Amino acid sequence: MAEPRVPGGRESELELACGERVDTHDLHLGMREFACDCGKTHAVVLDPHPLARFVPEFLTEVLHATIETNDDYDEFTTVHLMGVVMEEFPEKVVAADTSEDGSVGFSLAWVSDFDSRRLHEIVVELLVELMEHAISHAEDDDVMAEFEEQMLQFDVDAFVEQYRDERNFDGRSDTAI
């Protein structure tokens, strides 16, 4: 994971890809994006955010069960996912390590140059690529052909639209899908 780009001022300030700065104390668990002084809307992801923010629970369970991690985490998490995003878009995503700051409710924060919808699309596209790579290791041509056929029919934009509509929680009885 890339080192956070912290400007010369306060340690809690994060320099964004657009050149503006955001104080990590202004980020919170309920935040998914914010309107920046640069005129854009930037997505915010925090390490406590579950993978289910982006994909259904059944898929997060599959990711947890099938992807081995070689770090301090017992399973594939949002931290790993955002690491993949940062590898693909190193100039578009910045990270802050706030683990030493007891006044925020998270240890890691990522702010992208994308809005939350575009980031969601990117995440789904990268997870599909990750699954395709995993299936290619199965060395089963039939399984690979079936996966490729299903992916030809898979519409990322439509999935993200529907998922965001269904995940737009607004009541106490809302549950994960």
Side-chain angles (χ1 to χ4, degrees):
M1 185 181 320
E3 289 292 320
R5 293 188 279 168
V6 180
R10 298 181 354 214
E11 277 188 38
S12 65
E13 282 190 346
L14 180 63
E15 184 176 352
L16 306 177
C18 67
E20 295 292 333
R21 297 178 182 178
V22 64
D23 190 325
T24 57
H25 293 101
D26 293 335
L27 306 178
H28 56 81
L29 293 175
M31 182 179 278
R32 298 296 182 260
E33 62 184 19
F34 66 91
C36 182
D37 289 342
C38 76
K40 288 180 158 183
T41 300
H42 299 300
V44 175
V45 179
L46 306 175
D47 61 313
H49 289 161
L51 290 172
R53 170 180 171 177
F54 301 106
V55 293
E57 296 289 335
F58 80 88
L59 186 53
T60 66
E61 291 170 12
V62 170
L63 293 169
H64 291 161
T66 58
I67 298 176
E68 292 182 21
T69 59
N70 193 14
D71 53 27
D72 294 337
Y73 299 91
D74 294 333
E75 59 191 14
F76 188 80
T77 67
T78 300
V79 173
H80 301 100
L81 179 62
M82 290 308 297
V84 173
V85 173
M86 286 187 75
E87 282 182 32
E88 289 293 317
F89 300 95
E91 301 300 320
K92 299 287 187 180
V93 181
V94 295
D97 180 347
T98 60
S99 59
E100 299 293 321
D101 187 346
S103 64
V104 296
F106 50 89
S107 296
L108 294 167
W110 298 267
V111 179
S112 79
D113 206 36
F114 314 109
D115 65 16
S116 64
R117 166 143 181 123
R118 179 64 187 132
L119 178 62
H120 196 159
E121 292 167 351
I122 289 168
V123 162
V124 170
E125 290 166 357
L126 291 172
L127 285 173
V128 167
E129 286 179 22
L130 185 65
M131 289 185 294
E132 182 177 29
H133 178 76
I135 288 173
S136 72
H137 286 284
E139 298 179 6
D140 185 331
D141 292 339
D142 292 337
V143 170
M144 187 65 181
E146 182 180 340
F147 180 81
E148 287 176 356
E149 178 63 33
Q150 289 175 357
M151 288 304 99
L152 288 174
Q153 298 171 23
F154 182 67
D155 183 338
V156 172
D157 293 334
F159 168 82
V160 168
E161 184 70 33
Q162 179 181 356
Y163 194 74
R164 291 171 74 82
D165 285 346
E166 291 177 14
R167 292 290 297 196
N168 189 11
F169 297 149
D170 44 2
R172 286 182 171 225
S173 62
D174 290 335
T175 59
I177 56 173

